[in-house]
Amino acid sequence: SGFFLGLSAVSFFVTAGDYYVAVTGTDTNTGASWGNAFYSLTNAVAQSGDGDTIHVSNGIYQITAQLLLDRAVTLRGFNGASNTTIDCDVPGNTTPPIRITHAGAILEGFRIIDCNELTYHNYGPINASAGTVRHCIINGNNCVSSGGGYISGSAFIHSCIITGNVASHYNTGMGAGLRVAGGVVSNCFIARNQSADGGGGIYQTGGLVQQCIISNNTATRSSGGAKGAGLWITAGRMENCLIIANR
């Protein structure tokens, strides 16, 4: 007689899921529906995994610590940037309020406001070295060294409105709209930003800026030395952009 042991192959599949966040939610919920929504963005991201989408309902969401997108998750304002706001005024914060480090991470459909706490050489409110930022409004941030954010590595920011941001410090206040050290900035409207030292719209040291409008930005140092009210570029490439009425 003989003995035969047959082993069948077992496959494991990880399926993408949906989570929900609402100002009426609570972080003890499961986040699995609008009726059982989470309250905070940081908790929703912590509970998510690669491939998940986090839908965020209308309202203002105050973050109290850095929001880190270090996985392939989509964080989406459900009704777009005119209805869903991330308030980045974190008291005593010395790190960028929103940090994106994963190539598959997506931040979409938010208004990003009120980053006022960062110290020298901490660029905010968004610091992205990978991933995608799209269909966002970055507005009303007043930081020391950069107003709207810092793009590097393989990050991609497109179809965003970046207005009314300030980089206030003489000697490091460059790139009130954006600092671009790498990645791609595409199809953005960058206007009415104000830097102390230059690059009121963009301070570019690498990467690609394409098909953007850079308008009505200012560089304010009155004693001389301010460079490029609209654009200050030392490296990288810019193509098919309209740069107009900066001063």
Side-chain angles (χ1 to χ4, degrees):
S1 63
F3 178 78
F4 175 78
L5 176 63
L7 295 177
S8 61
V10 178
S11 297
F12 295 92
F13 296 94
V14 178
T15 59
D18 291 287
Y19 290 95
Y20 299 85
V21 179
V23 292
T24 56
T26 177
D27 284 339
T28 58
N29 285 341
T30 64
S33 67
W34 289 123
N36 208 8
F38 292 133
Y39 173 73
S40 70
L41 303 180
T42 49
N43 181 60
V45 171
Q47 301 301 323
S48 68
D50 287 347
D52 290 345
T53 298
I54 301 168
H55 305 278
V56 183
S57 186
N58 297 2
I60 299 174
Y61 296 84
Q62 175 77 55
I63 56 175
T64 58
Q66 186 179 75
L67 180 63
L68 176 62
L69 301 184
D70 60 353
R71 60 201 73 183
V73 61
T74 296
L75 184 62
R76 174 178 294 148
F78 190 73
N79 287 311
S82 61
N83 293 292
T84 316
T85 297
I86 300 176
D87 189 326
C88 296
D89 190 16
V90 182
N93 192 32
T94 57
T95 59
I98 302 171
R99 183 87 171 91
I100 305 173
T101 61
H102 195 287
I106 299 172
L107 181 71
E108 176 180 26
F110 290 95
R111 184 175 176 224
I112 313 294
I113 66 167
D114 215 17
C115 178
N116 300 313
E117 299 287 337
L118 292 185
T119 56
Y120 309 118
H121 303 298
N122 283 283
Y123 311 125
I126 297 173
N127 187 318
S129 57
T132 299
V133 180
R134 64 193 185 198
H135 307 301
C136 287
I137 299 171
I138 304 171
N139 170 252
N141 301 283
N142 188 338
C143 299
V144 172
S145 298
S146 173
Y150 182 73
I151 307 300
S152 64
S154 62
F156 181 34
I157 177 168
H158 73 89
S159 305
C160 290
I161 297 171
I162 303 166
T163 62
N165 303 289
V166 177
S168 61
H169 184 245
Y170 290 133
N171 298 321
T172 69
M174 298 171 282
L178 288 174
R179 282 193 181 220
V180 182
V184 177
V185 180
S186 180
N187 290 95
C188 291
F189 178 67
I190 302 167
R192 299 183 298 280
N193 302 287
Q194 178 180 299
S195 68
D197 281 347
I202 290 178
Y203 175 54
Q204 185 177 4
T205 59
L208 170 65
V209 179
Q210 62 182 8
Q211 297 176 323
C212 292
I213 297 174
I214 303 169
S215 172
N216 288 285
N217 302 283
T218 59
T220 61
R221 179 180 280 213
S222 59
S223 59
K227 299 182 172 108
L231 169 70
W232 181 2
I233 180 169
T234 63
R237 190 167 84 253
M238 177 170 284
E239 58 186 32
N240 299 324
C241 292
L242 175 63
I243 305 171
I244 187 171
N246 302 283
R247 61 190 189 282

